[in-house]
Amino acid sequence: MPPKSNTIPAVVVENVSQVYRTRFGKVRALQNVSFEVRPGETLAVIGESGSGKSTLTRLLAGLEAPTSGSVFVMGEPPRLMPGRPGSVQLVFQDPTGSLNPYRNVRKSVAEPLRHLGRRARRIAAREMLERVGIDPARHDDRPGRFSGGQLQRIAMARALVARPRLLVCDEPTSALDVSVQAQVLNLLYRLQEEIGFTCVFVTHDLAVAQVVAHEVIVLVQGAVREASDAASFFNGPRDAYSQALLASVRAATGSLVSTPAISPSDKPFR
């Protein structure tokens, strides 16, 4: 993990609440959520189903506006506008959702660069696919010819090709086996060092959060139950819910980390 940054925050979420109106009444998805993420760092958002993680993801991407409170990326409201300052990109649990099955992967990766000329798009897509470890001989293949881990790397290439300020990862490794998880996390770590993007990593997997995060927040029923640096959280959380969560994982597995830790010796794309 790189050293913590001392600069001003890249992401500021302040007193955010999100309320949906349904036929059965109001549903409060988020309640007074506040946190900051500094440039080049990763915040892990931990929570069970229904905790508000998906709602928070949509707000960070600018897909929804909060009912109250504010969200800023590099001092501006977030927006999915590739290639523009303050832009945000997403990586999802299922990479096929962001890849057209009828297009070759080079064209899919180039799609966020529609504001550039054809040659510039082609060169940028090729370079980013190579950076994530996809053989140039396969750039004209369609998604159906790749494994799950390869597809997630291609989805990362598509998200990062426009050099966003913020990358929001929504459970990007939960569908992968442990060895492939390690490869994808190592890749994310390396690209973050090289490109310098800020990352919000949404997960229910504490082992993955321990590997990737500088900071951690725990969401329970739309509210932040705990917020701390990752080392403090995993060494001894303050909140009783977080303590029980860690204890249950350790009781089930005998340890917390099931995903191999990042180290220079097992980075496959060096």
Side-chain angles (χ1 to χ4, degrees):
M1 182 182 299
K4 289 170 63 65
S5 167
N6 293 317
T7 55
I8 62 173
V11 179
V12 176
V13 174
E14 187 172 6
N15 296 323
V16 163
S17 294
Q18 189 72 335
V19 179
Y20 298 109
R21 297 181 183 275
T22 73
R23 57 185 296 188
F24 305 107
K26 294 182 180 179
V27 175
R28 188 173 294 274
L30 292 174
Q31 305 178 54
N32 299 318
V33 171
S34 296
F35 60 83
E36 297 179 352
V37 193
R38 295 190 179 276
E41 294 189 2
T42 296
L43 170 74
V45 180
I46 298 171
E48 300 174 343
S49 296
S51 63
K53 302 193 305 297
S54 296
T55 298
L56 180 59
T57 297
R58 291 193 293 271
L59 295 178
L60 288 170
L63 297 174
E64 296 181 9
T67 304
S68 61
S70 57
V71 180
F72 293 101
V73 177
M74 302 303 293
E76 299 182 8
R79 53 183 186 255
L80 282 164
M81 296 176 66
R84 305 285 184 87
S87 68
V88 181
Q89 286 294 302
L90 300 168
V91 177
F92 299 101
Q93 177 180 352
D94 180 7
T96 59
S98 55
L99 300 172
N100 187 328
Y102 302 106
R103 277 187 169 184
N104 66 49
V105 297
R106 176 179 50 80
K107 289 182 179 179
S108 287
V109 169
E111 189 176 6
L113 302 175
R114 290 187 296 272
H115 59 290
L116 299 180
R118 181 178 299 178
R119 183 173 183 273
R121 293 199 304 269
R122 184 171 63 251
I123 292 172
R126 184 184 68 234
E127 290 177 348
M128 187 57 72
L129 281 166
E130 291 180 13
R131 290 181 78 168
V132 302
I134 302 300
D135 187 339
R138 303 198 61 193
H139 291 183
D140 289 329
D141 288 351
R142 294 181 180 180
R145 300 193 63 184
F146 293 91
S147 69
Q150 289 171 326
L151 287 174
Q152 197 57 283
R153 285 188 262 151
I154 294 165
M156 280 189 187
R158 186 182 187 281
L160 293 173
V161 71
R163 305 303 177 98
R165 299 292 185 89
L166 173 64
L167 184 69
V168 180
C169 297
D170 189 2
E171 303 273 9
T173 61
S174 62
L176 307 175
D177 65 43
V178 171
S179 62
V180 179
Q181 277 187 9
Q183 292 180 16
V184 171
L185 294 175
N186 282 326
L187 175 62
L188 180 67
Y189 175 91
R190 178 172 64 80
L191 292 174
Q192 189 175 30
E193 283 190 312
E194 294 175 357
I195 298 173
F197 57 85
T198 303
C199 183
V200 173
F201 196 104
V202 177
T203 184
H204 68 276
D205 190 327
L206 295 179
V208 169
Q210 187 176 27
V211 169
V212 302
H214 294 90
E215 305 285 335
V216 171
I217 65 170
V218 178
L219 284 180
V220 180
Q221 296 181 345
V224 176
R225 287 290 294 267
E226 180 152 9
S228 72
D229 65 273
S232 298
F233 177 82
F234 289 106
N235 287 330
R238 298 183 302 272
D239 181 74
Y241 177 89
S242 301
Q243 293 169 3
L245 193 63
L246 285 173
S248 66
V249 174
R250 290 191 172 111
T253 65
S255 65
L256 179 57
V257 178
S258 59
T259 300
I262 293 173
S263 67
S265 62
D266 62 10
K267 289 185 178 178
F269 307 115
R270 283 288 188 189

